[in-house]
């Protein structure tokens, strides 16, 4: 019953926020929404702030409002009354096209015809390092495409640094999470799968309207932050398993670094990397976090960790270990 009530509440929220996709007003056809993975040709006057994700678009007339392109390509032949934001995209300003605001780019290519009117500004951090301006066939081309390796290294290093900072704030919490992976794997999968699919479904439903985009963005930020928390524990577990196999005594920070390097390497692998990065990792990280929350704040269940007693739970006791246990209190 509780699950049914929760689902009913979710669908009520979606119904309230994901309303009109296309409408009309005095400025023209309202296209204020998120456009996903399709090809669009706008021959009429249009209005509304719009987000294009992995899409192709062609604006033949006037548009009132800002446009955001992410991993997309677009051709502008009319007038855009607003700003254009190009993120990892390609934009072509044809003859007599006009943008009343600015065109802001990040790792994108913008081609502006000699008779077009547009001001292109690269993302300030990368402008001097990677921007390039040249002319070809009557077009002035602005390019600030970042090398793929720069993006990958920057994201990987940033993610692992954040994980180490989080570990420093709440070490005991993440140590408990690292033990849960071995103690309660099915509980982690249960919470992880449930939360993963619920959050994905909510994000997709809210993305159907501009009103819901803000909520979808908040959900995405929430998933990212929760996943980072879970990744700290996952990194510690992977590092712990490796150092134990090598009979190396390591603390939580060393294990977290080793596990972080392993997880980043996994993301580079073809096919496997995509599955690991977008399915397996989020499910495990969400599951670790929520299981840890339930155990710590609801069940009040805590496990001893290898870091509590400096013992190796994965190592079979040998003769020396048994002798030390027996004679520990004998002088």
């Amino acid at each position: 019953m509780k699950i049914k009530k929760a689902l009913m509440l979710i669908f009520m929220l979606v119904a309230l926020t994901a309303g009109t996709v296309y409408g009309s007003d005095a400025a023209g056809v309202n296209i204020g929404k998120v456009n996903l993975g399709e090809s669009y040709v706008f021959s009429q006057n249009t209005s509304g702030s719009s987000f294009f994700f992995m899409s192709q678009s062609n604006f033949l007339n006037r548009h009132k409002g800002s446009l955001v392109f992410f991993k997309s390509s677009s051709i502008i032949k009319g007038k855009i009354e607003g700003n254009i934001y190009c993120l990892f995209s390609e934009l072509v300003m044809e003859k007599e096209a006009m943008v009343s605001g600015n065109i802001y780019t990040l790792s994108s290519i913008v081609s502006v015809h000699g008779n077009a009117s547009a001001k292109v500004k690269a993302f300030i951090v990368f402008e001097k390092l990677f921007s390039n301006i040249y002319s070809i066939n009557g077009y002035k081309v602005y390019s600030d495409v970042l090398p793929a390796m720069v993006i990958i290294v920057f994201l990987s290093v940033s993610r692992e640094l954040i994980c180490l900072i989080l570990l420093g704030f709440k070490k005991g919490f993440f140590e408990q999470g690292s033990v849960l992976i071995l103690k309660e794997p099915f509980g982690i999968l249960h919470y992880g799968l449930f939360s993963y699919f619920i959050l994905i479904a909510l994000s997709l439903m809210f993305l159907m309207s501009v009103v819901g985009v803000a909520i979808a963005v908040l959900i995405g930020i929430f998933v990212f932050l929760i996943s980072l928390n879970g990744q700290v524990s996952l990194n510690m577990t992977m590092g712990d398993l490796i150092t134990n196999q090598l009979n190396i005594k390591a603390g939580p920070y060393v294990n977290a670094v080793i596990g972080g390097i392993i997880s980043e390497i996994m993301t580079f692998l073809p096919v496997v990397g995509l599955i690991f990065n977008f399915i397996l990792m989020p499910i495990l990280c969400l599951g670790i976090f929520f299981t840890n929350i339930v155990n710590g704040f609801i069940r009040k269940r805590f496990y001893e960790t290898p870091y509590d007693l400096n013992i190796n739970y994965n190592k079979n006791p040998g003769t020396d270990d048994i002798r030390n246990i027996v004679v520990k209190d004998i002088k």
Side-chain angles (χ1 to χ4, degrees), residues 137-208:
N137 297 329
Y139 288 85
K140 195 171 185 179
V141 181
Y142 300 81
S143 172
D144 67 337
V145 177
L146 305 181
M149 188 54 62
V150 171
I151 299 173
I152 292 172
V153 172
F154 175 78
L155 293 176
S156 298
V157 172
S158 299
R159 186 162 49 234
E160 297 311 320
L161 283 175
I162 293 172
C163 286
L164 289 175
I165 292 171
L166 290 173
L167 178 58
F169 278 109
K170 203 70 175 175
K171 189 158 65 74
F173 176 81
F174 296 115
E175 288 175 356
Q176 283 293 313
S178 68
V179 174
L180 284 174
I181 299 172
L182 302 176
K183 297 288 186 180
E184 299 185 26
F186 293 107
I188 286 173
L189 287 176
H190 169 76
Y191 284 110
L193 286 169
F194 180 78
S195 57
Y196 178 77
F197 287 111
I198 287 293
L199 292 170
I200 290 295
L202 281 174
S203 297
L204 291 176
M205 287 188 287
F206 282 122
L207 280 173
M208 294 304 295

Side-chain angles (χ1 to χ4, degrees), residues 121-270:
K121 295 186 177 182
F123 187 53
I124 190 167
V125 175
F126 303 106
E127 185 172 9
K128 293 184 179 179
L129 293 175
F130 302 107
S131 64
N132 186 21
I133 302 175
Y134 56 93
S135 297
I136 182 172
N137 297 329
Y139 288 85
K140 195 171 185 179
V141 181
Y142 300 81
S143 172
D144 67 337
V145 177
L146 305 181
M149 188 54 62
V150 171
I151 299 173
I152 292 172
V153 172
F154 175 78
L155 293 176
S156 298
V157 172
S158 299
R159 186 162 49 234
E160 297 311 320
L161 283 175
I162 293 172
C163 286
L164 289 175
I165 292 171
L166 290 173
L167 178 58
F169 278 109
K170 203 70 175 175
K171 189 158 65 74
F173 176 81
F174 296 115
E175 288 175 356
Q176 283 293 313
S178 68
V179 174
L180 284 174
I181 299 172
L182 302 176
K183 297 288 186 180
E184 299 185 26
F186 293 107
I188 286 173
L189 287 176
H190 169 76
Y191 284 110
L193 286 169
F194 180 78
S195 57
Y196 178 77
F197 287 111
I198 287 293
L199 292 170
I200 290 295
L202 281 174
S203 297
L204 291 176
M205 287 188 287
F206 282 122
L207 280 173
M208 294 304 295
S209 74
V210 168
V211 178
V213 170
I215 300 176
V217 170
L218 290 176
I219 292 174
I221 294 172
F222 174 77
V223 172
F224 173 73
L225 294 175
I226 296 301
S227 296
L228 274 179
N229 277 272
Q231 187 176 347
V232 177
S233 297
L234 182 62
N235 289 349
M236 290 172 65
T237 301
M238 290 191 293
D240 186 50
L241 292 173
I242 292 172
T243 54
N244 282 339
Q245 290 299 318
L246 298 174
N247 289 323
I248 298 174
K249 183 179 178 180
Y253 293 99
V254 174
N255 285 335
V257 170
I258 294 173
I261 293 173
I262 298 300
S263 65
E264 295 300 336
I265 291 175
M266 289 288 292
T267 61
F268 294 144
L269 300 177

Side-chain angles (χ1 to χ4, degrees), residues 286-304:
L286 288 170
I288 292 167
F289 178 81
F290 286 117
T291 305
N292 206 4
I293 290 293
V294 170
N295 274 10
F297 295 95
I298 299 176
R299 297 175 181 169
K300 304 296 182 182
R301 178 192 299 167
F302 301 96
Y303 294 103
E304 285 186 345

Side-chain angles (χ1 to χ4, degrees), residues 282-323:
I283 289 174
L284 287 176
C285 292
L286 288 170
I288 292 167
F289 178 81
F290 286 117
T291 305
N292 206 4
I293 290 293
V294 170
N295 274 10
F297 295 95
I298 299 176
R299 297 175 181 169
K300 304 296 182 182
R301 178 192 299 167
F302 301 96
Y303 294 103
E304 285 186 345
T305 74
Y307 309 108
D308 293 331
L309 302 174
N310 291 321
I311 59 176
N312 185 340
Y313 285 121
N314 301 310
K315 178 183 174 183
N316 294 323
T319 305
D320 291 338
D321 298 313
I322 296 173
R323 180 173 57 81

